[in-house]
Amino acid sequence: MTQQEALFEYCLRLGDNGLILGHRLSEWCGHGPILEEDIALTNIALDLIGQCRMALSYAGTVEGKNRSEDDLAYLRDVYEFRNVLLVEQPNGHYGDTITRQFLFDAFNFALHQRLQFSSDEHIVAYARKAIKEITYHARHSSEWMIRLGDGTEESHNKVQESLNDLWMYTGEMFESDEVDQLMVDAGVGVDLKIVKQQWDDSVGTVLAEATLTQPEDGWMQSGGKKGTHSEKLGFLLAEMQFMQRAYPGATW
Amino acid sequence: MENLTREKEFQAKLDREVKIEPKDWMPDAYRKTLIRQISQHAHSEIVGMLPEGNWITRAPNLRRKAALLAKVQDEAGHGLYLYSAAETLGVDRIDLEEQLLDGTAKYSSIFNYPTQTWADIGAIGWLVDGAAILNQVPLCRTSYGPYARAMVRVCKEESFHQRQGYEIIMTLAQGNEAQKKLAQDALNRWWWPALMMFGPSDDNSKHSAQSMAWKIKRFSNDYLRQDFVDRTVPQAEYIGLSVPDKDLKWNDERGHYDFGPINWEEFYNVIKGNGPCNRQRLKTRNASFKAGAWVREAASAYADKKASRKEVAA
């Protein structure tokens, strides 16, 4: 694998995480538990889609095959997507959505904090913009984890179950493969071991305050980063890509 | 006697174009009318999120997806500050929301029509927001201060939405044959409901006269409807779409377009709950509210705990 190929993959992973999670959050639009949360979730979705556009555009440039952000978002099939499995998990109830977000935000925050010091100036510009938004996302989801965990008995039980259900998708975020290693060696990417340490600290602190029990690290699901996904992602893409597939080549 | 003097003073204030503020004396009926109108407006923003939200997950490209997300977020924001404006009149948002959920409060009937294709998102921006702006710009000068101020911000954002909607439709109208068909089909379906947004004709509008006297309302329904037709027909012609009204023609003498009769039977039926999506919209709102109950309870339980811990610490 060349460095250029690795950088393309690396940008796809960043972009696809934003795209798929942003899409999931946008499914909440108009259905939130309270109007303020409708606004917050829509806002976070919007940030993530914005981040995805920067990352996918750059991926297209790096690849050098003239593919635009939209070509990459709308004209790839499931096996070509590089998002982690966590972000494609269905919304479930509000506690499921918040838990998914919380687990991802803590990772995303630690990652983007360090991407600001990448040797690649495009990644730096992208990360500097993104980190401001992700800082807010992480605060929002942490606060809700605490509210739900330390709220009522019902909310505590519900969100504990969400945590137990989603925990097996957390390991994949820190799995380092050839792409990650090449990017770390080039000074472009981030050492995921360091991201994991920070994630452990921040997640542990919030879960303790939320009076929630951190699940044991058991078997971790993985595959998303390499293009092996759940059955759910195909339906998400079928919906998201409908217009581009139904009216090929049209301008919107 | 005292009330009569107060009412005279109140009317005199209105006539001098002095804004009424929350702590000022106002007639009960004025207060009630405003609560009804502002909360209906807020409800419309909230229900309006559903037909547009319907296309966020299927927007044709990332730029449109982001723009539509931002638009629907604006609408939720409008709902929020309109509810706040209504609360300055001594009502609670939760009570207003409950009136929406149990079907006793009204919201704009236009949102009881379905968004069946992507072109509908353009048509809503262009026609529905376009009609809303004509209704709403005069409200920036409405006599109740908090409402007028809320409307200044709403109108700025709505006018951006209107341009964005027109741009979506224009892109379709200038696109390939299939896209042109999408655009024309959307105009065919949204034109008449958009005209109905201005409400019944002046002689059948039960709240209009009093609202005009109180300077809540500034222009009559028919005046605004004509203004909308005059502005919108050239926009449709410019992008090569035809307005679905065989009676539509320019009247040199009046300096306005003449247009065909509105199907008031349809209008009253949709208001009564017989529109294509009335039931569905209310069911959706109710389902979200119910599904979110445990979240709201948790938030308030946590807030209580936090407050009492603070007290103990102090």
Side-chain angles (χ1 to χ4, degrees):
Chain A
M1 182 180 280
T2 66
Q3 192 178 319
Q4 183 200 7
E5 284 163 349
L7 181 55
F8 173 63
E9 284 285 318
Y10 202 75
C11 292
L12 281 187
R13 289 174 182 182
L14 292 171
D16 288 348
N17 281 339
L19 176 61
I20 302 303
L21 187 56
H23 183 99
R24 280 284 185 232
L25 289 178
S26 77
E27 293 170 354
W28 271 100
C29 199
H31 307 283
I34 184 166
L35 186 51
E36 283 80 351
E37 279 312 287
D38 255 323
I39 297 177
L41 292 186
T42 313
N43 191 23
I44 296 167
L46 192 55
D47 289 343
L48 289 169
I49 298 296
Q51 291 165 21
C52 132
R53 292 180 65 187
M54 286 181 87
L56 290 186
S57 293
Y58 186 45
T61 309
V62 170
E63 189 194 31
K65 290 182 183 164
N66 226 3
R67 285 205 280 181
S68 68
E69 60 178 40
D70 289 325
D71 293 334
L72 290 169
Y74 292 93
L75 300 175
R76 280 180 298 153
D77 205 339
V78 171
Y79 70 96
E80 296 168 286
F81 271 78
R82 296 291 183 261
N83 59 281
V84 292
L85 295 172
L86 178 64
V87 299
E88 73 195 50
Q89 298 309 309
N91 287 339
H93 59 59
Y94 196 68
D96 294 327
T97 292
I98 285 294
T99 305
R100 182 185 65 197
Q101 193 66 34
F102 165 69
L103 295 171
F104 181 75
D105 287 342
F107 158 78
N108 218 25
F109 179 76
L111 177 70
H112 283 75
Q113 242 185 354
R114 282 166 185 77
L115 284 176
Q116 292 179 94
F117 306 101
S118 166
S119 61
D120 182 312
E121 59 178 11
H122 290 95
I123 301 270
V124 171
Y126 151 83
R128 280 190 182 158
K129 181 178 181 294
I131 193 68
K132 291 185 198 131
E133 298 164 346
I134 298 168
T135 304
Y136 159 72
H137 303 170
R139 199 177 67 213
H140 173 265
S141 59
S142 298
E143 285 173 0
W144 271 103
M145 282 306 280
I146 294 166
R147 263 185 216 118
L148 297 178
D150 193 18
T152 61
E153 195 186 335
E154 184 189 8
S155 70
H156 176 90
N157 293 340
K158 275 193 142 102
V159 80
Q160 181 67 56
E161 195 180 328
S162 309
L163 194 60
N164 298 346
D165 289 345
L166 289 170
W167 197 258
M168 64 179 174
Y169 298 109
T170 57
E172 188 194 6
M173 296 189 286
F174 311 104
E175 269 176 20
S176 186
D177 60 8
E178 193 190 353
V179 173
D180 290 302
Q181 200 49 54
L182 270 166
M183 287 295 97
V184 171
D185 294 344
V188 173
V190 176
D191 183 347
L192 291 171
K193 283 197 291 295
I194 299 171
V195 173
K196 175 71 159 73
Q197 279 165 10
Q198 189 176 337
W199 185 86
D200 281 337
D201 286 348
S202 61
V203 166
T205 307
V206 172
L207 291 185
E209 197 181 337
T211 72
L212 292 165
T213 310
Q214 183 165 329
E216 294 292 322
D217 281 348
W219 176 255
M220 291 290 177
Q221 301 296 328
S222 98
K225 285 170 78 165
K226 290 185 187 305
T228 305
H229 293 276
S230 65
E231 292 174 347
K232 301 286 191 295
L233 187 61
F235 290 95
L236 185 154
L237 296 186
E239 186 173 348
M240 183 175 83
Q241 298 179 338
F242 159 67
M243 292 294 288
Q244 293 272 350
R245 302 291 190 185
Y247 301 91
T251 305
W252 303 100
Chain B
M1 190 63 197
E2 199 188 330
N3 255 358
L4 208 64
T5 324
R6 280 174 148 183
E7 270 193 45
K8 267 192 182 159
E9 279 170 11
F10 177 78
Q11 191 62 49
K13 234 170 151 180
L14 295 180
D15 295 342
R16 292 199 310 275
E17 296 288 335
V18 176
K19 291 268 180 276
I20 307 301
E21 295 299 332
K23 288 187 177 147
D24 296 348
W25 183 87
M26 62 187 88
D28 278 348
Y30 175 86
R31 187 185 297 274
K32 272 189 196 144
T33 299
L34 276 170
I35 292 172
R36 178 178 55 82
Q37 184 172 332
I38 300 172
S39 62
Q40 275 182 15
H41 188 169
H43 299 330
S44 303
E45 300 281 358
I46 302 309
V47 178
M49 292 169 73
L50 298 175
E52 293 192 276
N54 184 38
W55 276 92
I56 290 176
T57 53
R58 289 175 294 168
N61 62 30
L62 293 174
R63 181 171 74 91
R64 294 291 186 201
K65 194 183 190 76
L68 185 55
L69 267 168
K71 178 177 196 260
V72 178
Q73 190 192 11
D74 284 349
E75 268 140 28
H78 297 170
L80 202 58
Y81 42 84
L82 285 163
Y83 281 130
S84 304
E87 283 190 319
T88 64
L89 291 157
V91 285
D92 279 335
R93 178 175 132 193
I94 184 70
D95 295 327
L96 299 175
E97 284 175 329
E98 272 166 16
Q99 288 166 12
L100 170 67
L101 294 171
D102 67 20
T104 49
K106 295 267 182 282
Y107 56 87
S108 181
S109 273
I110 195 80
F111 299 120
N112 291 317
Y113 289 88
T115 48
Q116 66 181 34
T117 73
W118 167 250
D120 292 15
I121 298 307
I124 287 188
W126 174 34
L127 303 173
V128 174
D129 292 332
I133 291 166
L134 292 183
N135 271 326
Q136 290 168 4
V137 165
L139 290 175
C140 300
R141 297 190 294 121
T142 199
S143 58
Y144 186 58
Y147 191 23
R149 289 187 288 272
M151 290 314 297
V152 172
R153 183 162 165 196
V154 170
C155 284
K156 273 188 200 151
E157 292 177 352
E158 290 296 352
S159 124
F160 177 70
H161 298 164
Q162 195 268 346
R163 285 200 299 275
Q164 203 176 337
Y166 186 58
E167 203 245 317
I168 289 176
I169 285 283
M170 192 190 308
T171 307
L172 296 176
Q174 293 169 346
N176 61 34
E177 277 315 304
Q179 287 176 298
K180 282 181 188 151
K181 277 186 190 161
L182 283 176
Q184 184 61 54
D185 165 71
L187 176 58
N188 292 349
R189 283 180 292 106
W190 290 93
W191 175 255
W192 290 106
L195 293 196
M196 292 177 201
M197 282 177 69
F198 296 93
S201 59
D202 295 346
D203 28 340
N204 287 322
S205 179
K206 65 173 175 180
H207 301 298
S208 281
Q210 182 60 74
S211 284
M212 299 273 275
W214 277 333
K215 302 201 172 182
I216 295 175
K217 198 177 163 90
R218 296 275 176 168
F219 299 103
S220 81
N221 294 350
D222 287 331
Y223 172 89
L224 291 168
R225 187 165 16 242
Q226 180 71 59
D227 191 17
F228 176 76
V229 172
D230 291 347
R231 286 164 189 261
T232 311
V233 170
Q235 293 169 359
E237 282 170 355
Y238 178 73
I239 55 178
L241 297 179
S242 44
V243 174
D245 177 357
K246 61 179 172 29
D247 299 319
L248 184 79
K249 64 169 186 298
W250 178 252
N251 183 327
D252 237 351
E253 209 171 297
R254 290 204 307 128
H256 291 293
Y257 281 95
D258 290 337
F259 54 95
I262 286 172
N263 182 351
W264 293 114
E265 198 193 344
E266 175 181 327
F267 173 79
Y268 287 110
N269 259 301
V270 180
I271 286 187
K272 269 188 248 159
N274 297 327
C277 300
N278 294 59
R279 275 164 196 267
Q280 187 187 324
R281 299 287 187 239
L282 273 193
K283 277 203 168 176
T284 304
R285 285 307 315 161
N286 274 290
S288 311
F289 189 77
K290 210 172 146 195
W294 70 274
V295 178
R296 294 189 299 274
E297 281 158 21
S300 84
Y302 177 73
D304 290 346
K305 277 189 203 173
K306 213 176 161 186
S308 66
R309 277 177 207 150
K310 234 186 200 166
E311 231 165 65
V312 171

